[in-house]
Amino acid sequence: MTRSRLVAALFGTTALLLAAGAQAQPAPKNVLRIAPHADLKTLDPVAASIVITRMHGLMIYETLFAWDANLQPKPQMVESFSTSDDKLSWTFTLRPGLKFHDGQSVTTRDVIASLARWMKRDTIGGKLGEYTEGMEAKDERTFVLKLKRPMALVPFALGSAVGQIPVIMREADAATDPMKPVTETIGSGPFRFNRAEWRSGAKVVYDKNPDYVPRSEPADGLAGGRIVKVDRVEWLIMPDAATAAAALQTGEIDIWEQPSQDLIPVVAAARDVKVERYSNLANQVMLRPNSLHPPFDNPKARLALAYATDQAEFLAGGFGDEDWWKRCAAYFICGGPNGTEAGTEGYSKPDLEKAKQLLAEAGYKGEKLVLTTSNDIAAIGRMAEVAAAQLKKVGINVDVQFSDWGTVTTRQQNKSPPDQGGWNLFVTYASGATMQSPMTNIGTNMACEKAWAGWPCDAEAEKLRGAVVDAPDDAARKAAVEALHKRLAEVQPYRVLGQFEQPYARRSTVSGVLAAPVMLFWNVEKK
């Protein structure tokens, strides 16, 4: 049986089974049901940069600013702000009436503690922290951010929706160890986390926050009025793609956040189903090495990954039809404002002998290397297998270890040697909004222990990244990005594996999904 016929058969059988359930228990119209791409394991969006945790974080928390559909920062929790003439003091006043879900008012004490914690964890937060002299509360609603030197990107940073996001928590939660995830879920956002109905591996529930007062501006990306138009949002965890596809057709779910590329033609042809994009930039795929341990503590071994791998094989394995993917060696996304490929010309095609040479020069002698991955996100699991096959061609002894996605992301934070619970490699992908800027690209932060999982360390790259921030105008910033990219191509914090488009699928009864870095559910209506 061909793959397409097998998919259709699985789809049809599952659809009949779910149709019976749908007819027996019709879904209430005020409950929006989603099949997300992964299960929710980590509740703290400052501790984890993974998409599912960011989606969760932006449901229940808010940030001082928010990015619109064009990734431009707009005030969110902030009512007004100003800068001093020397650009070293930024004064912010919070909107009146902001309240946490437990009834406490949001104050500048909460804000300062939250920002201080975020600056210790996030890529752009860490950069803002380098520029920050201090923060001072003037009263309950007004505080001052004092800088050591001017930084024009302050509102952009404070509205970040990528990496570890600068959500505002209660002071008591934010004052905890930034290296340990907060387990409380008390925010001030438009939804409340329903912990009583949370079933790990099965269901995550959010209820409308009746005390939330949205901004008056129209919704635009993550900015503007966050008006909730349903009473409840349920994430129904469906690791099996055929089950999710069938559930969408029968109305068991209203939105499939990341439909499998295999099933997109089937889903798109289904009655009352629409397949659409919700992001303006493609996603980036990466092979991330651990720079703490041999052999990838040596940049020659990391560069060997570039010569050993063929982007097309990864992308075809993960996402199927080439209509949905393209080769690209730009760390900052082809098609984005910083999409240069400078310095990558030498390994546009695999060179296995060069890869073997670099590995030998790095001192690699065939030791077992652990590649941690999961089939919970099917494309990632398939690409991990492609990675193992390609790396074995250059003599790398790859041990692929599968587990659930939550375990993989937890293990990614483990700095221990691979034989003590750590790792050497993983395959993942990130949104174009995350990767398009040197300030938000989590993988190109090479600030050693302050970097994202993998912890690459390169003083020259960090100096050049700082030059991007300090650039006085667009021309200087473009030149700084080019110089930075050439350095990244040499030291390879990760192997860029190209980029792909990820649509979502919805029932025709659903409308109002906003273009944003991650999918959120305010403004969404269900007929």
Side-chain angles (χ1 to χ4, degrees):
M1 183 178 290
T2 66
R3 181 176 179 83
S4 61
R5 288 180 179 175
L6 177 59
V7 167
L10 288 171
F11 179 87
T13 301
T14 313
L16 289 174
L17 293 173
L18 288 174
Q23 292 170 3
Q25 295 181 336
K29 289 187 177 181
N30 62 350
V31 178
L32 186 69
R33 293 187 170 92
I34 319 297
H37 69 279
D39 189 18
L40 178 67
K41 297 286 188 179
T42 304
L43 301 174
D44 182 356
V46 181
S49 61
I50 56 175
V51 173
I52 196 69
T53 297
R54 276 190 281 136
M55 289 172 61
H56 160 79
L58 289 168
M59 292 283 280
I60 66 173
Y61 296 105
E62 287 200 285
T63 52
L64 297 177
F65 289 77
W67 291 350
D68 65 17
N70 295 314
L71 306 183
Q72 297 301 305
K74 301 293 174 62
Q76 188 59 37
M77 298 179 80
V78 165
E79 179 182 55
S80 61
F81 68 101
S82 61
T83 58
S84 60
D85 291 342
D86 61 7
K87 307 300 182 184
L88 295 179
S89 291
W90 291 70
T91 301
F92 304 93
T93 299
L94 300 178
R95 288 199 292 140
L98 295 175
K99 289 185 177 182
F100 288 110
H101 299 154
D102 63 359
Q104 294 184 52
S105 295
V106 179
T107 72
T108 49
R109 294 189 304 276
D110 304 301
V111 171
I112 289 172
S114 296
L115 294 183
R117 182 171 186 265
W118 165 70
M119 288 177 185
K120 293 180 174 69
R121 292 302 306 262
D122 180 57
T123 296
I124 193 169
K127 183 57 67 176
L128 178 57
E130 293 175 16
Y131 283 67
T132 297
E133 181 71 37
M135 293 179 280
E136 178 184 353
K138 293 296 186 182
D139 55 41
E140 295 285 284
R141 290 180 51 213
T142 301
F143 77 101
V144 178
L145 173 68
K146 296 181 179 180
L147 302 179
K148 300 173 186 175
R149 58 187 190 274
M151 181 181 179
L153 298 173
V154 170
F156 180 79
L158 296 178
S160 176
V162 300
Q164 286 105 335
I165 54 179
V167 299
I168 305 305
M169 299 179 172
R170 297 176 302 181
E171 181 183 21
D173 298 330
T176 57
D177 184 347
M179 297 300 123
K180 295 181 179 179
V182 169
T183 57
E184 294 292 336
T185 52
I186 305 298
S188 62
F191 292 94
R192 294 176 176 177
F193 180 64
N194 189 327
R195 188 180 288 271
E197 295 193 42
W198 178 32
R199 300 289 181 269
S200 182
K203 184 167 72 171
V204 186
V205 177
Y206 301 91
D207 296 316
K208 179 179 180 178
N209 177 8
D211 299 324
Y212 180 75
V213 179
R215 296 187 67 89
S216 60
E217 301 93 336
D220 181 4
L222 297 175
R226 298 180 175 182
I227 299 175
V228 176
K229 300 180 179 181
V230 295
D231 293 331
R232 167 181 287 212
V233 174
E234 295 180 355
W235 293 357
L236 304 179
I237 311 306
M238 297 182 176
D240 179 71
T243 300
L248 184 67
Q249 186 189 48
T250 62
E252 287 279 308
I253 59 172
D254 304 296
I255 295 175
W256 188 6
E257 183 222 350
Q258 291 189 15
S260 168
Q261 262 76 5
D262 284 354
L263 290 173
I264 286 174
V266 178
V267 171
R271 182 181 178 184
D272 296 328
V273 173
K274 305 291 183 182
V275 176
E276 299 171 335
R277 293 178 58 184
Y278 64 89
S279 176
N280 296 325
L281 288 174
N283 300 308
Q284 184 184 85
V285 185
M286 69 180 83
L287 176 61
R288 180 70 161 185
N290 190 334
S291 296
L292 292 181
H293 306 296
F296 300 119
D297 56 342
N298 189 318
K300 289 185 176 181
R302 300 197 298 269
L303 185 57
L305 296 178
Y307 285 104
T309 50
D310 184 342
Q311 289 187 345
E313 289 191 27
F314 280 89
L315 295 168
F319 308 106
D321 196 321
E322 194 171 353
D323 288 346
W324 293 102
W325 57 263
K326 65 178 290 186
R327 294 175 182 266
C328 171
Y331 279 100
F332 306 123
I333 302 294
C334 293
N338 302 298
T340 178
E341 296 182 276
T344 67
E345 298 82 3
Y347 49 81
S348 57
K349 295 181 180 180
D351 185 338
L352 303 188
E353 292 306 312
K354 180 68 172 178
K356 291 176 182 178
Q357 174 191 334
L358 289 167
L359 287 167
E361 292 175 2
Y364 179 65
K365 298 179 181 178
E367 297 86 352
K368 181 174 71 176
L369 302 184
V370 173
L371 193 161
T372 179
T373 193
S374 174
N375 280 322
D376 287 0
I377 303 176
I380 286 178
R382 292 194 296 265
M383 288 188 291
E385 295 188 51
V386 173
Q390 292 200 4
L391 297 181
K392 285 176 182 177
K393 293 179 181 178
V394 295
I396 295 180
N397 180 10
V398 183
D399 178 16
V400 183
Q401 298 184 6
F402 286 90
S403 56
D404 65 89
W405 183 239
T407 299
V408 170
T409 58
T410 300
R411 187 175 185 178
Q412 287 171 3
Q413 306 305 316
N414 191 332
K415 295 182 179 180
S416 301
D419 60 356
Q420 297 177 29
W423 54 277
N424 296 107
L425 293 159
F426 65 82
V427 178
T428 192
Y429 54 80
S431 71
T434 300
M435 310 309 272
Q436 57 85 30
S437 167
M439 294 303 95
T440 59
N441 184 307
I442 55 176
T444 57
N445 177 350
M446 299 193 73
C448 310
E449 73 280 355
K450 295 180 180 179
W452 178 55
W455 308 281
C457 202
D458 188 78
E460 180 63 18
E462 284 303 287
K463 178 182 177 181
L464 293 169
R465 195 162 67 95
V468 176
V469 181
D470 293 334
D473 53 45
D474 289 344
R477 188 169 294 111
K478 181 178 179 180
V481 169
E482 288 273 325
L484 170 61
H485 201 276
K486 288 178 180 178
R487 180 60 180 176
L488 295 173
E490 294 174 3
V491 295
Q492 290 285 312
Y494 62 90
R495 165 57 166 154
V496 179
L497 295 176
Q499 56 195 54
F500 72 98
E501 303 283 353
Q502 177 61 64
Y504 77 101
R506 64 173 174 85
R507 299 280 299 172
S508 58
T509 52
V510 171
S511 62
V513 176
L514 297 163
V518 296
M519 182 174 283
L520 278 305
F521 305 107
W522 59 79
N523 198 61
V524 177
E525 293 185 81
K526 180 179 176 182
K527 296 178 183 178

